[in-house]
Amino acid sequence: MMDQQHSEQQPNASKFALRRWALGTLFGLLVMLGLVAALVIVVDPFQHYRKASFYTPLVDRSLQRYINVGMARNYTYDTLSLGSSMTENTRTSDLERVLGGTALQLPFRGASLSELGLAMGNALGSRELKRVLIHIDDVNYTDSPNTALNSLPQYLYDGNPFTDIYYWFNLDVLARLPELYEYNRYALGRPEELDLDMLYNWTEAVMYGKARVFGSYRQWNRAKTPPMPIERIMPYVEQNLQQHLLPYIEGYPDTEFIIIYTPYSTLQWYNTYLFGQEDRVLYGRAEFARVLLPYPNVRLFDFHVNEDWATDYERYTDFTHYHGDINTEIIEAIGRGEYEVFSAEEVLANNEVIRGFMRDFVPPTPEEVAVYREESNRQVQERLQWQ
């Protein structure tokens, strides 16, 4: 009888031990996860909850889509500048000097209008803004209106506290913690203020000049692509306006929205023509103007037709990106009201100027291209020797 009771107690004891081990393991796992979450919340490497106070944030162009939204929500400013890599050399000191107030400029490399809209929504939802500058690239008119669904870490933008779990337990976020420590280890508790004036600025890091631009262009021998039918992109233009611009323009009537058509070189306009994109771009320019300009809190500046900037290849590093001096001149021109347009008809007239850039561009001969490439390679090698 006693042997039978003993044999029955053994499985019960084993079950109890297994249950205790399972509960202990689960408790330990929950404690570990809690500590990881607490570490991310306290350090907050992407400034999701607050502006960094006890360390200097580590700014990286490759992480703009992770960093910028926290800055948009948690920094102090009343003027916001948004755009693509074309605006990375814009200086907040220029914005403040010309327009007044306290500025923040947040570029997104290869920005879609949906990304700029989400960043703008986070900014406007957290503070009152005097003005928002939106630098529009030629692709923005006809972006897929849902581009941001694939390119952005939505958990940082959606304002939903329940999705913060993707921030707490994210390998990319956790991997940033050792980088932050290494960057700050000699100055923990004595952080340096982030240099917002030069945030993401690469003006002094690249080479410029016609040889650089023409020598690096690889489409000289490409056959002309037939123009894209406007009907294919008309719905995208409408959706981008309705989803990513008009909700803010209409919802914040006391905020001034400055729409900027960023300048390009004549080679970029030739490239647009070569790829059959001319009608798409020109239609988008005019349609944005037609829809946006009737709003009293909207201003539109059309720098696409500034021929001086379009032809000054000594200030370009490729056929789209230019020296920071042009970014400064753009802000100063806005301050003077230069190149401001007030109707879609004016933009349509400017479209003919752009067609002239496309039509009148004379590609270099193969011999000239070879000289440009040789000179560009020589400059690269010379720069490498000095580094």
Side-chain angles (χ1 to χ4, degrees), residues 114-178:
S114 53
E115 292 172 324
L116 300 183
L118 280 172
M120 182 164 47
N122 274 272
L124 289 165
S126 62
R127 73 200 63 249
E128 292 184 4
L129 292 179
K130 290 182 180 178
R131 65 186 65 85
V132 179
L133 290 82
I134 308 168
H135 300 254
I136 302 291
D137 284 325
D138 59 354
V139 298
N140 292 147
Y141 312 115
T142 54
D143 283 330
S144 168
N146 298 317
T147 299
L149 296 178
N150 301 318
S151 59
L152 289 180
Q154 292 293 320
Y155 57 88
L156 295 176
Y157 288 77
D158 61 13
N160 182 354
F162 294 104
T163 61
D164 283 1
I165 189 172
Y166 298 108
Y167 181 51
W168 304 340
F169 307 117
N170 188 309
L171 290 178
D172 289 334
V173 177
L174 294 174
R176 192 164 179 81
L177 297 177

Side-chain angles (χ1 to χ4, degrees), residues 9-267:
Q9 289 173 353
Q10 277 187 328
N12 290 336
S14 297
K15 289 180 180 178
F16 178 75
L18 182 61
R19 187 181 298 115
R20 184 171 60 182
W21 175 85
L23 290 173
T25 301
L26 178 61
F27 178 75
L29 180 61
L30 290 174
V31 169
M32 184 178 69
L33 291 174
L35 290 174
V36 170
L39 178 62
V40 172
I41 292 170
V42 170
V43 176
D44 195 12
F46 293 147
Q47 303 180 92
H48 181 54
Y49 300 108
R50 70 194 74 85
K51 180 180 179 181
S53 59
F54 63 91
Y55 66 88
T56 303
L58 187 55
V59 174
D60 187 333
R61 291 191 193 95
S62 67
L63 292 173
Q64 288 171 344
R65 286 165 171 80
Y66 292 82
I67 298 168
N68 285 352
V69 64
M71 298 177 67
R73 280 200 298 259
N74 299 314
Y75 278 55
T76 300
Y77 60 95
D78 57 23
T79 295
L80 176 64
S81 175
L82 293 170
S84 68
S85 57
M86 302 291 290
T87 68
E88 285 179 326
N89 294 331
T90 300
R91 302 183 64 160
T92 56
S93 59
D94 290 330
L95 291 164
E96 293 170 355
R97 171 175 57 84
V98 174
L99 302 177
T102 302
L104 180 68
Q105 78 98 11
L106 298 176
F108 292 75
R109 290 198 159 192
S112 65
L113 201 58
S114 53
E115 292 172 324
L116 300 183
L118 280 172
M120 182 164 47
N122 274 272
L124 289 165
S126 62
R127 73 200 63 249
E128 292 184 4
L129 292 179
K130 290 182 180 178
R131 65 186 65 85
V132 179
L133 290 82
I134 308 168
H135 300 254
I136 302 291
D137 284 325
D138 59 354
V139 298
N140 292 147
Y141 312 115
T142 54
D143 283 330
S144 168
N146 298 317
T147 299
L149 296 178
N150 301 318
S151 59
L152 289 180
Q154 292 293 320
Y155 57 88
L156 295 176
Y157 288 77
D158 61 13
N160 182 354
F162 294 104
T163 61
D164 283 1
I165 189 172
Y166 298 108
Y167 181 51
W168 304 340
F169 307 117
N170 188 309
L171 290 178
D172 289 334
V173 177
L174 294 174
R176 192 164 179 81
L177 297 177
E179 296 178 33
L180 273 175
Y181 173 75
E182 187 66 25
Y183 188 67
N184 286 272
R185 64 176 174 159
Y186 297 114
L188 280 175
R190 296 179 288 106
E192 296 181 6
E193 190 70 23
L194 199 62
D195 185 3
L196 298 179
D197 194 39
M198 296 295 290
L199 189 70
Y200 306 128
N201 192 300
W202 44 260
T203 290
E204 302 301 328
V206 300
M207 299 182 301
Y208 301 89
K210 190 171 185 177
R212 172 68 178 166
V213 176
F214 281 41
S216 61
Y217 185 71
R218 300 299 175 185
Q219 305 296 332
W220 294 120
N221 297 322
R222 183 184 177 90
K224 170 75 170 70
T225 301
M228 175 186 289
I230 293 176
E231 292 75 17
R232 285 174 51 186
I233 52 88
M234 290 174 68
Y236 280 3
V237 175
E238 178 68 18
Q239 290 169 35
N240 273 304
L241 286 165
Q242 294 296 331
Q243 294 180 31
H244 307 309
L245 286 179
L246 292 182
Y248 307 111
I249 291 170
E250 293 174 351
Y252 298 88
D254 295 330
T255 298
E256 180 182 56
F257 293 85
I258 300 176
I259 310 298
I260 301 164
Y261 291 169
T262 53
Y264 292 117
S265 72
T266 52
L267 176 52

Side-chain angles (χ1 to χ4, degrees), residues 351-371:
N351 281 354
E352 296 309 307
V353 175
I354 295 171
R355 286 193 189 276
F357 290 159
M358 298 175 184
R359 181 182 60 248
D360 299 337
F361 184 86
V362 179
T365 65
E367 293 75 18
E368 289 172 329
V369 170
V371 172

